[in-house]
Amino acid sequence: MPMFNFTIAPSAVAQVHDALSCLARFDENISLEASAQELRISSLNSSRTAYASFIFNATNFFDKYHFSTSSRSSGREPPKTWACKLQNRALLSIFKKRQVDNKEKENSVERCDFELQAGADETECRLVIRLYCRFSVIKTYRLTYESAEVLHATFDKQGSPHTWTVSARTLRDVVEYFGPKTEHVDWSLHDDKVTFTSYTDKIQVGREIIRQPTHTSVTLNHQDFDECKIEQDLHISIPVKDFRSIVAHADTMKANVKTAYSRGHRPAQITYGSGGLTAEFTLMTKGTSSTVADSSRAATPAQGLSVRPTSRSTASSLAPSALRTTQSDVVAAAEANGNGLVPTPSHDVGQPAKPKLLNAPSASTSAPPASVNPDSLFFPAAEDNDQQWDPQNFDDEPDMVTWDNTGARSFDPSAISARRSRAAEDGRALFGSALEDRRSGPFEIAPTQRLSQIKGIFD
Amino acid sequence: MRFKSRIKSVTIFEKVCASLASLNPIAWCRLTEDDVQFTVIPDKGTQCWSRLQLETIFDKYICQSASEKNTINLEIPLQALSRALKSASNATDVWIKLTKRDNVPMLSLTIHSSTYVGNNSVVTAEPITDEFGEFDVDIDLNDPAFGGAGYGQHRERQTVITQDIPVKVLHPSDVGGLHEPKLREPDIHIYMPGLAQVKSISDRFTKLATATTVSTSAKNAPRLEMSANMYGALKIAVKTDALSISSLWTNLLNPDLDATQFEGGEQAVRDHPSTRMKELGGPDGQNEAGWAKVRIDAKDWSRVLSVGRVSNRVIGCIIDDMALIMYCWIGNQDDDEESCLTYYISSFSA
């Protein structure tokens, strides 16, 4: 049975959170794969056109990391990796950003332990995550998981001669110009200038034509790139939604983003990393002819993005896929039995089972429609006091009226209680104690009862 | 048909579009050799007719067509245009032109922007102006004595952005039937108080009215009462079954009528409804008869007040029980020909 546990610092918890929320934009499930060298968290989207993975290096990223397998169970060679699948939601709710950000808050995390309980003597297999917070509060989460065959996207680095590397900040500036509702981002080099274009294939007709999303192209000098070895006028495009997710995460890491590809309808790979964390995205591309405008007819089912199983989990008891999290403030010290690297047989990622080619059906055409929310997680709407001029949306806001205009959105309980008590006084004047009695019950009369209704009782 | 111009004032243009966009997603834009008009006519609610002088926004303006006065009529998506202009807010040079791509007419914005790039940090290159005039940022940042290690990697990044917004070209016959509303002379005209105040108070009243009204059917949509007199007083009020609140501004200005603007000259001013309303106000101006009142849709009003982002000189004209007309001026008061957005807000019966 594999022994697997690690400990991470608060800053790393934040990084795990960022990685998980980036993966959440690809698929709702994530796969964990642990080996002695690294922990890999990855997602493959449902149409199998995009594979996103984060590789946490065992020596650099973790405070403590231990992974070992025992060959007790049978004669055959123990597997060198352990893998499972679980819902991203479950982990995201544990690695919350605010727990790390607010250093002053009592629930801020000081340490995080992760442990796999899959020993032969255990009755049920669980992933146990303990968050050690201030004031000796310990939050323990016990997650069930599903052992699974994890698919990796294969990418032919040698066969992908075109590469460019640029800072995430530059890409973020580019992405910010893109309007909402476009589907693809295309890039190409022409006369020492690299142009990123966001566009959509959907052609509206008649009156609808002005609802077509804005077509945006951003041209950068090729000197703005750290490296730019790409063929002139070779157009290639990926879903703009994926591009945004990647750029947003890369920007949080302040990394330099490297992209490698060969040609349209073959996978492209985007990588970046720092501080023991490497991000790797393999995406199916769409080829476009020299004019982006003609792209609509260029889409053919892609063949290239293949996935292969790399590991087979050996967890003995298959936990039900339903996720159960428990939270208790058990004040108990967790065993920290992993202290760094434990020597294990060398692990060769390149070797396992023959690549099993899976055609990604209609990969390029069925790319998820880019319904990009500009107010989404990574792109907080630009702080702009111009928004004060936007019309109020009276329907969506709670019926709460507070006086403080600056904090109008914030909920102020004292305001209700003040209003309630005022209403109660008014009510008492009219009704005596009858109303008071009713108020104490669960079906209290709203303080905003209409005068016309009240008159009815008097008459 | 040809239209091309440099945009001199991106911010004003962007704010005009954003203000109009709150009324309706689509506007009719009429480009002529004299001015640019944006007209928004929603299915229901307030109309806005605006006339922008070329020099308010444009520079090197070229507009040519076979129509009279080189008129080009376009239907444009305001949100997309506003968004595209927003992306040009830090630009060094912005051009707009009418083009075609795939046989779809486009308003194409070409935005040149330059950014100073450091090590993953960016300082936008905006011309820094102080009392000594233009301060050349480039020289200092490239000076090794100034920078040291941290500044060594600074350099300028030139970016060209094009934003193509699909538009529809309208035939003159498509827009021939659209006419600006014609209304009688107003009873009251008054300089509005700061729209930020008006907006926050109106919005609060609307919230209170919504919160104290049981059903939110269209019949019960909150209405605000706005009234004013010729003695510098303006009142906004809301009444529901549960409450009655009002805010009163005093000491506002009632602009004088310019006799040269009327056909009848001085006599027309003497016969003007506002002169009568002034008399009705009594010696101290406090008489109730001197007030004119409209009842306006509160949510619609909130959308209208979006114009506060671009205009701070607003005259409200009240035709008792009929309509409120808001003239929102853009730019300097001294200009003879001014850019103006005119809102026609109709009054509801009680």
Side-chain angles (χ1 to χ4, degrees):
Chain A
M1 280 292 87
M3 298 271 293
F4 176 45
N5 55 53
F6 63 78
T7 300
I8 52 176
S11 62
V13 173
Q15 281 185 283
V16 172
H17 164 88
D18 288 345
L20 289 172
S21 46
C22 181
L23 289 174
R25 288 152 162 259
F26 289 87
D27 193 50
E28 58 183 21
N29 295 315
I30 55 166
S31 305
L32 294 183
E33 291 162 81
S35 70
Q37 288 78 29
E38 61 187 31
L39 170 68
R40 180 191 281 256
I41 307 182
S42 60
S43 283
L44 178 67
N45 73 356
S46 55
S47 56
R48 295 191 165 175
T49 53
Y51 169 78
S53 68
F54 289 91
I55 299 136
F56 302 86
N57 187 290
T59 36
N60 299 344
F61 186 81
F62 301 92
D63 288 357
K64 288 177 189 162
Y65 186 92
H66 171 84
F67 181 86
S68 64
T69 51
S70 64
S71 50
R72 243 181 324 142
S73 51
S74 65
R76 60 199 166 89
E77 173 104 344
K80 296 179 186 96
T81 60
W82 167 85
C84 77
K85 203 173 225 181
L86 65 167
Q87 281 189 19
N88 198 341
R89 244 187 352 197
L91 278 183
L92 263 178
S93 63
I94 299 170
F95 294 98
K96 281 179 219 153
K97 188 130 193 164
R98 60 182 161 79
Q99 290 185 322
V100 187
D101 281 350
N102 303 338
K103 290 280 185 298
E104 302 307 314
K105 280 277 181 69
E106 56 197 62
N107 61 350
S108 71
V109 175
E110 293 179 334
R111 185 165 63 111
C112 171
D113 281 355
F114 178 100
E115 191 190 352
L116 169 67
Q117 290 182 347
D121 50 338
E122 304 274 354
T123 49
E124 48 185 2
C125 295
R126 288 282 185 271
L127 292 176
V128 180
I129 296 164
R130 284 203 179 86
L131 298 175
Y132 293 82
C133 304
R134 274 160 64 110
F135 307 121
S136 305
V137 174
I138 300 176
K139 296 178 180 172
T140 308
Y141 299 85
R142 298 168 61 82
L143 304 186
T144 55
Y145 58 90
E146 189 182 0
S147 69
E149 193 175 87
V150 178
L151 300 172
H152 284 193
T154 52
F155 182 71
D156 179 9
K157 277 201 168 79
Q158 272 68 44
S160 302
H162 308 298
T163 59
W164 50 260
T165 307
V166 71
S167 77
R169 178 65 208 229
T170 306
L171 285 183
R172 201 193 81 175
D173 288 349
V174 168
V175 168
E176 277 176 352
Y177 287 113
F178 293 170
K181 295 196 199 108
T182 50
E183 290 172 357
H184 309 286
V185 54
D186 165 285
W187 63 77
S188 66
L189 173 76
H190 184 76
D191 290 345
D192 284 354
K193 290 193 188 298
V194 180
T195 303
F196 289 86
T197 305
S198 88
Y199 67 100
T200 182
D201 282 341
K202 217 178 282 166
I203 302 293
Q204 266 106 350
V205 287
R207 269 194 76 82
E208 291 299 301
I209 205 140
I210 61 173
R211 300 198 196 282
Q212 199 173 319
T214 306
H215 174 114
T216 307
S217 50
V218 182
T219 304
L220 298 170
N221 279 327
H222 123 284
Q223 289 89 346
D224 295 320
F225 287 73
D226 296 346
E227 181 209 13
C228 187
K229 283 190 275 188
I230 59 183
E231 197 180 295
Q232 284 269 338
D233 295 320
L234 172 69
H235 283 260
I236 199 152
S237 71
I238 60 173
V240 76
K241 175 173 156 278
D242 295 344
F243 192 64
R244 274 181 203 269
S245 314
I246 294 166
V247 169
H249 182 265
D251 189 49
T252 65
M253 287 184 64
K254 307 217 178 305
N256 280 353
V257 178
K258 179 176 181 180
T259 303
Y261 57 96
S262 51
R263 57 180 176 80
H265 311 306
R266 302 284 305 164
Q269 191 169 61
I270 301 179
T271 49
Y272 54 86
S274 71
L277 171 58
T278 311
E280 206 178 272
F281 301 88
T282 308
L283 304 162
M284 180 46 72
T285 65
K286 214 175 103 145
T288 36
S289 54
S290 54
T291 57
V292 175
D294 296 335
S295 59
S296 51
R297 59 173 168 69
T300 51
Q303 302 288 318
L305 183 60
S306 59
V307 282
R308 61 182 158 81
T310 54
S311 57
R312 193 173 290 268
S313 174
T314 52
S316 56
S317 77
L318 290 189
S321 60
L323 281 151
R324 187 152 53 94
T325 65
T326 56
Q327 177 179 352
S328 60
D329 12 351
V330 185
V331 184
E335 279 183 287
N337 48 3
N339 50 355
L341 266 178
V342 173
T344 47
S346 74
H347 168 80
D348 191 351
V349 188
Q351 271 214 340
K354 273 221 160 211
K356 187 169 112 191
L357 278 170
L358 292 180
N359 283 346
S362 62
S364 61
T365 44
S366 71
S371 57
V372 176
N373 177 4
D375 306 321
S376 58
L377 197 62
F378 286 108
F379 289 100
E383 284 193 17
D384 189 353
N385 53 12
D386 208 36
Q387 281 172 359
Q388 66 163 310
W389 295 110
D390 292 338
Q392 282 269 353
N393 191 347
F394 298 106
D395 301 327
D396 290 354
E397 286 173 25
D399 294 353
M400 195 55 55
V401 182
T402 58
W403 183 247
D404 182 9
N405 188 30
T406 53
R409 301 290 178 280
S410 68
F411 181 86
D412 182 6
S414 65
I416 341 166
S417 53
R419 234 176 72 195
R420 287 234 168 117
S421 60
R422 226 177 296 132
E425 275 162 32
D426 296 346
R428 224 172 288 136
L430 283 171
F431 284 85
S433 60
L435 180 64
E436 184 113 32
D437 292 344
R438 283 218 243 160
R439 273 188 65 244
S440 57
F443 305 108
E444 69 178 64
I445 295 173
T448 54
Q449 190 183 25
R450 303 214 300 176
L451 280 172
S452 54
Q453 290 177 317
I454 295 168
K455 271 182 197 143
I457 304 168
F458 267 108
D459 294 339
Chain B
M1 199 172 284
R2 189 159 168 251
F3 165 61
K4 186 180 181 187
S5 176
R6 203 174 86 89
I7 302 177
K8 185 171 72 177
S9 178
V10 176
T11 330
I12 292 179
F13 197 9
E14 188 267 309
K15 288 182 173 177
V16 168
C17 289
S19 306
L20 297 177
S22 64
L23 294 179
N24 199 36
I26 291 164
W28 160 35
C29 169
R30 184 190 182 96
L31 304 157
T32 71
E33 57 193 24
D34 302 327
D35 58 15
V36 175
Q37 296 168 30
F38 284 91
T39 304
V40 173
I41 308 177
D43 290 341
K44 59 172 194 167
T46 297
Q47 297 188 5
C48 178
W49 292 69
S50 66
R51 183 184 302 266
L52 305 175
Q53 300 304 320
L54 296 181
E55 56 270 24
T56 309
I57 291 174
F58 298 107
D59 185 21
K60 298 176 185 156
Y61 176 93
I62 298 166
C63 179
Q64 290 167 349
S65 80
S67 310
E68 194 189 336
K69 282 177 120 185
N70 289 311
T71 305
I72 299 174
N73 288 300
L74 301 173
E75 199 172 64
I76 53 167
L78 285 167
Q79 231 121 36
L81 180 58
S82 166
R83 212 194 131 88
L85 287 165
K86 209 164 210 164
S87 74
S89 54
N90 289 325
T92 48
D93 197 26
V94 185
W95 286 82
I96 188 168
K97 65 172 189 251
L98 188 63
T99 57
K100 258 189 186 183
R101 190 158 43 75
D102 300 345
N103 261 329
V104 176
M106 298 268 168
L107 267 184
S108 176
L109 278 152
T110 307
I111 301 157
H112 293 261
S113 91
S114 80
T115 322
Y116 287 101
V117 189
N119 199 4
N120 258 326
S121 69
V122 172
V123 185
T124 305
E126 283 172 289
I128 299 169
T129 320
D130 56 15
E131 66 262 44
F132 306 110
E134 291 261 307
F135 172 78
D136 195 347
V137 190
D138 197 41
I139 292 171
D140 278 17
L141 289 180
N142 285 341
D143 184 358
F146 175 79
Y151 289 86
Q153 294 176 342
H154 274 293
R155 77 201 142 76
E156 208 175 350
R157 187 171 81 209
Q158 298 283 353
T159 313
V160 182
I161 302 115
T162 62
Q163 301 268 28
D164 292 349
I165 302 141
V167 294
K168 210 176 147 199
V169 177
L170 298 172
H171 193 262
S173 65
D174 293 339
V175 294
L178 299 174
H179 296 289
E180 191 158 354
K182 277 207 162 43
L183 296 164
R184 70 170 173 90
E185 288 297 320
D187 298 310
I188 300 289
H189 43 254
I190 190 165
Y191 273 111
M192 298 289 285
L195 289 195
Q197 275 179 33
V198 176
K199 182 162 164 59
S200 69
I201 286 174
S202 304
D203 284 348
R204 196 175 324 284
F205 282 11
T206 309
K207 271 192 208 168
L208 283 166
T210 317
T212 54
T213 310
V214 177
S215 77
T216 49
S217 67
K219 253 188 198 167
N220 280 339
R223 301 271 155 79
L224 298 176
E225 280 182 12
M226 182 183 277
S227 49
N229 65 15
M230 287 300 287
Y231 292 86
L234 175 87
K235 189 159 77 176
I236 296 179
V238 66
K239 281 199 187 92
T240 69
D241 283 351
L243 55 84
S244 165
I245 329 168
S246 69
S247 271
L248 178 71
W249 282 268
T250 53
N251 293 328
L252 300 172
L253 276 177
N254 297 94
D256 291 327
L257 293 175
D258 182 1
T260 59
Q261 300 284 320
F262 290 90
E263 272 181 32
E266 293 289 339
Q267 186 56 40
V269 172
R270 277 193 291 278
D271 295 341
H272 195 268
S274 66
T275 316
R276 215 184 103 252
M277 291 301 273
K278 202 164 189 170
E279 287 159 8
L280 287 172
D284 56 352
Q286 296 306 306
N287 203 328
E288 272 302 306
W291 290 75
K293 183 158 84 175
V294 284
R295 291 166 54 82
I296 53 180
D297 183 273
K299 291 177 184 176
D300 187 47
W301 177 239
S302 184
R303 291 193 280 270
V304 169
L305 287 175
S306 176
V307 75
R309 72 182 85 209
V310 65
S311 174
N312 54 11
R313 201 151 44 88
V314 180
I315 296 175
C317 292
I318 297 181
I319 305 172
D320 191 38
D321 216 15
M322 190 186 213
L324 167 67
I325 306 155
M326 296 235 297
Y327 296 96
C328 309
W329 309 95
I330 300 167
N332 296 323
Q333 198 157 6
D334 310 330
D335 297 347
D336 281 351
E337 293 282 320
E338 290 183 83
S339 298
C340 179
L341 283 76
T342 311
Y343 287 84
Y344 294 92
I345 305 153
S346 56
S347 174
F348 289 82
S349 55

